[in-house]
Amino acid sequence: MGKLEDIVSLCKRRGFIFPGSDIYGGMAGTWDFGPLGVMLKRNIMQSWWHFWVDQRDDMYGVDAAILMNPRTWIASGHVDTFNDPLVECKACHGRFRADKLVDGATESITTEEFLKANVKCPTCGKTDWGEVKKFNMMFTTHVGPVADDGSIAYLRPETAQGIFTNYKNVVDTIYPDIPFGIAQQGKAFRNEISPRDFILRDRECTQMEIEYFVKPDQWEEAFEQMRALQHVFLEEQMGLPVDKIHDYEVPAEDRAHYSKRTIDMMFDYPNGEEELMGLAYRTDFDLGNIQRESGKSMEYRDKNTGETFVPHVIEPSIGLERLFLAIVSSAYWQDGDRVVLRLPENLAPYKFCVSPLLKNKPELVEKAQEVYKLLKDKYTFVTWDDSGNIGKRYKKQDEIGTPKCVVVDFDTLEDDSVTVRDRDTTEQERVKISEL
Ligand code: GAP
């Protein structure tokens, strides 16, 4: 695993991730994905969708609007409770998350507890603090031409509510048997007090969430199944090392307002252990609230038994950026000058790179172009590289995680075989073009 600064540098150098609005000096907590980053990000998102939706018979997708009726966020409790504890240094006016400055503190830290810890301001070193205040993390905007209280809208802080508000639409159009899940991938926005650690804590992130609807008395079984499957996904599909993922049972006082049980899956990131994803038992909290706020029944009628009930919900929720960082930091391998991104093949932006041994030999370039087109037709994610010498090309492809480099040389013209070099072992073998 690399150090965080090495990963940030590689991501920028090779076109994976750039600071958001870099040209104007940046915008804290925002990041732009470059050409390679988009490819890796899409592979992650597609693998997630394939694993959780396409391959199953009990999952359905939605893609809801980001702007939602503000009643959504009143009903969900976010207007009242989606708060972080904010504290301001009176000397330098720096603002911080109070719980992050005190060892072992939770989000419900009080002013007394904070002051008792006698922490120094990380910016100016003084201990002249204001009160710990609740800071609502939702971004507000106004819809329409008049900016007043009646036109307030929020940028969604979780994709989950776009699922809950479509639960009835899905039930009334698809008639799914319970248990069933609704999945969504999309942007979520949080006005984080202190965005940090590269893409780990952002103000704009991409969530991949499932709300899995179950009979109320079957939540425990569904929770355990979902928990086991999350590990299969993270370890087998995303290639994360088993020993770097730790399940953390979140105590009641630290759980989100909607949850009766939460397991955070923590990951050993370069800067220490942090939450990668959460698995929550949201009970019927959300459907119950929607039922009250909208006056419409959220009851599900079991076709087999005729029973009616408001389903309970198990929610696995993962941030794309946190998963991206976990994947890249565990794939990062360095030995002296040699840096290799040992990405799993299913995630690597390019599967092959094709080159002519020498760029100034037209016969080699022509043959290499032929091989390139053949592989591109077959595998799509194939890149061409004839820059610099062969050593430099290997270095670049290693850094962007291309598993195989295919080189066309003079022997190719004789026997239709090419050199295939393996990214991880650097071993080279001769392979017939027809067998690629
Ligand atoms: N719908 C439930 C929910 O939003 P959460 O624990 O607040 O729960 C779920 O967020 C996941 O979203 C987190 O485990 C993390 O992967 C990701 N996430 C949340 N806030 C984030 C942020 N500011 N930056 C990047 N990812 C974030």
Side-chain angles (χ1 to χ4, degrees):
M1 176 173 291
K3 292 200 275 289
L4 192 62
E5 59 264 34
D6 295 333
I7 288 157
V8 176
S9 156
L10 173 74
C11 282
K12 187 162 186 190
R13 188 169 75 244
R14 292 298 182 192
F16 282 91
I17 298 179
F18 310 116
S21 324
D22 203 10
I23 207 141
Y24 293 114
M27 170 101 174
T30 68
W31 298 92
D32 296 341
F33 286 81
L36 271 292
V38 169
M39 295 177 88
L40 177 51
K41 175 178 164 166
R42 285 191 172 196
N43 288 345
I44 297 171
M45 292 175 78
Q46 272 165 12
S47 297
W48 185 93
W49 195 266
H50 189 64
F51 185 86
W52 291 107
V53 184
D54 296 341
Q55 284 187 320
R56 296 177 62 132
D57 295 325
D58 59 347
M59 293 281 190
Y60 306 91
V62 291
D63 188 0
I66 288 175
L67 291 175
M68 300 178 74
N69 188 310
R71 285 168 71 195
T72 309
W73 307 109
I74 296 166
S76 69
H78 283 79
V79 169
D80 285 336
T81 58
F82 194 55
N83 301 317
D84 268 352
L86 171 76
V87 70
E88 183 171 335
C89 169
K90 288 202 254 175
C92 71
H93 300 291
R95 289 176 174 171
F96 305 93
R97 256 185 77 164
D99 56 328
K100 297 289 171 201
L101 297 183
V102 178
D103 273 350
T106 70
E107 286 166 17
S108 44
I109 186 168
T110 61
T111 303
E112 291 77 65
E113 286 163 348
F114 181 78
L115 293 178
K116 213 163 146 195
N118 205 27
V119 286
K120 286 191 178 145
C121 170
T123 311
C124 71
K126 304 235 167 73
T127 50
D128 189 10
W129 295 103
E131 292 197 357
V132 176
K133 292 185 184 148
K134 288 196 164 112
F135 170 74
N136 193 290
M137 289 200 290
M138 281 195 294
F139 281 102
T140 53
T141 184
H142 292 274
V143 173
V146 182
D148 61 14
D149 283 356
S151 63
I152 281 187
Y154 302 95
L155 297 189
R156 68 181 178 199
E158 60 168 9
T159 59
Q161 294 305 322
I163 297 179
F164 288 123
T165 49
N166 277 295
Y167 152 83
K168 199 171 153 42
N169 288 334
V170 173
V171 170
D172 290 350
T173 50
I174 306 286
Y175 308 110
D177 286 332
I178 205 153
F180 67 95
I182 307 180
Q184 178 166 223
Q185 300 179 328
K187 291 274 188 178
F189 303 83
R190 296 179 179 194
N191 198 358
E192 295 283 352
I193 297 168
S194 326
R196 63 181 168 84
D197 290 339
F198 190 29
I199 54 172
L200 189 87
R201 189 173 295 284
D202 314 313
R203 292 195 166 124
E204 179 180 332
C205 67
T206 302
Q207 286 188 321
M208 304 190 283
E209 301 198 289
I210 294 168
E211 305 305 327
Y212 197 65
F213 300 94
V214 299
K215 286 188 175 174
D217 61 355
Q218 286 173 0
W219 76 268
E220 276 163 303
E221 194 188 331
F223 191 95
E224 287 309 328
Q225 280 172 2
M226 202 45 102
R227 176 180 179 174
L229 268 183
Q230 293 303 326
H231 281 277
V232 173
F233 173 73
L234 295 173
E235 291 152 20
E236 293 176 15
Q237 303 292 309
M238 300 292 102
L240 297 185
V242 182
D243 60 337
K244 292 201 185 315
I245 306 171
H246 315 285
D247 285 10
Y248 169 66
E249 182 83 48
V250 180
E253 63 274 20
D254 291 348
R255 288 199 291 260
H257 59 280
Y258 48 70
S259 174
K260 273 233 172 104
R261 185 179 181 200
T262 299
I263 286 188
D264 280 346
M265 293 182 183
M266 313 295 286
F267 188 76
D268 294 329
Y269 285 100
N271 279 5
E273 190 180 287
E274 291 282 355
E275 177 187 328
L276 165 63
M277 63 164 292
L279 178 66
Y281 167 43
R282 285 181 86 132
T283 67
D284 57 355
F285 178 86
D286 299 273
L287 292 184
N289 288 340
I290 291 175
Q291 194 163 251
R292 264 192 305 283
E293 180 72 23
S294 68
K296 300 202 176 96
S297 171
M298 293 294 127
E299 282 191 329
Y300 176 91
R301 185 170 180 284
D302 190 315
K303 282 171 265 181
N304 302 317
T305 64
E307 252 182 296
T308 55
F309 52 88
V310 175
H312 281 216
V313 170
I314 307 298
E315 177 199 67
S317 170
I318 189 161
L320 177 275
E321 290 77 7
R322 291 201 187 177
L323 184 52
F324 190 110
L325 185 58
I327 290 167
V328 170
S329 55
S330 31
Y332 187 98
W333 181 88
Q334 185 165 13
D335 184 17
D337 274 355
R338 184 160 182 254
V339 172
V340 185
L341 215 47
R342 292 179 157 167
L343 294 170
E345 263 183 49
N346 61 319
L347 300 181
Y350 295 115
K351 312 303 169 204
F352 290 97
C353 170
V354 180
S355 311
L357 180 66
L358 299 169
K359 177 182 176 170
N360 57 0
K361 296 285 171 204
E363 63 274 37
L364 292 188
V365 174
E366 193 184 327
K367 187 72 183 170
Q369 273 290 325
E370 211 178 277
V371 175
Y372 170 70
K373 288 197 181 93
L374 190 107
L375 290 183
K376 184 96 182 157
D377 280 350
K378 202 165 166 189
Y379 299 104
T380 310
F381 301 105
V382 180
T383 185
W384 168 265
D385 194 356
D386 59 7
S387 61
N389 60 35
I390 202 78
K392 280 200 177 137
R393 293 180 211 162
Y394 286 156
K395 183 175 162 56
K396 176 179 169 194
Q397 297 305 321
D398 283 348
E399 287 195 2
I400 65 173
T402 309
K404 305 277 182 207
C405 285
V406 173
V407 178
V408 167
D409 55 23
F410 291 105
D411 288 344
T412 313
L413 305 177
E414 305 298 319
D415 64 3
D416 260 353
S417 68
V418 287
T419 300
V420 178
R421 179 221 185 232
D422 183 86
R423 174 194 71 194
D424 298 339
T425 61
T426 71
E427 271 169 24
Q428 304 189 5
E429 57 171 336
R430 290 300 286 188
V431 179
K432 288 275 179 211
I433 294 171
S434 57
E435 286 164 16
L436 282 170

